[in-house]
Amino acid sequence: MFELFYSFTFRPYVTLFLLAFLTMSWLEQGGLRTGIWLLTGCLVALAAEWGSINHGIPFGYYAYHYEVLAHDLVVFGVPFFDSLSFVFLSYVSFTFAQFFLSAHWRCGLNVQRVTTRNLRNSTSVLFIGAFFMMVLDLVIDPVAHLGKHWFLGDIYHYPAPGWHFDITLANYAGWFIVGWTIIFIN
């Protein structure tokens, strides 16, 4: 129980983004769909992270530094806040995809997207949402990888560093696949 409390207090950015996701998703989709997105997003992300640290799929091989994560909740070798992050990152990617593809209603500075069910469930939203998820990681992983220079800490490394701030191409492909999967399920 301490590890869960620590994960939410020591990683306040995850807590704040989670609260923002819960609020926005609840208002847009209702409680049931928000709960389903939360559960499926965590499970897909946990499976993907576990697959990568054990088998190199889908993000490529990397290793967590568990001594830095000693007080964090770790499930099957994966920090809980990592799996949780995929939930709100996939949701915001999905929402951005809808925003860019939808018609908009404007009245002065009030701009609202008008998204049909067909557009929401389209392959365009699915692929563009997954692409946005990957683009988010072009910033997130380098910043996280340099965590030893700020409060995050040196939480992981790639045994075979890649070309982009030591991040591998497989990692970015994995983010696309995981984003696609979470958005597809939801």
Side-chain angles (χ1 to χ4, degrees), residues 1-12 14-15 66-75 78-82 84:
M1 192 58 153
F2 171 76
E3 287 85 4
L4 183 61
F5 176 76
Y6 182 85
S7 292
F8 280 109
T9 56
F10 187 69
R11 312 281 182 206
V14 175
T15 304
Y66 295 108
E67 63 280 0
V68 177
L69 300 167
H71 299 297
D72 284 284
L73 178 61
V74 175
V75 180
V78 177
F80 177 69
F81 67 87
D82 275 8
L84 196 55

Side-chain angles (χ1 to χ4, degrees), residues 154-166:
D154 189 18
I155 61 172
Y156 74 100
H157 76 279
Y158 289 91
W163 64 274
H164 185 244
F165 297 95
D166 293 338

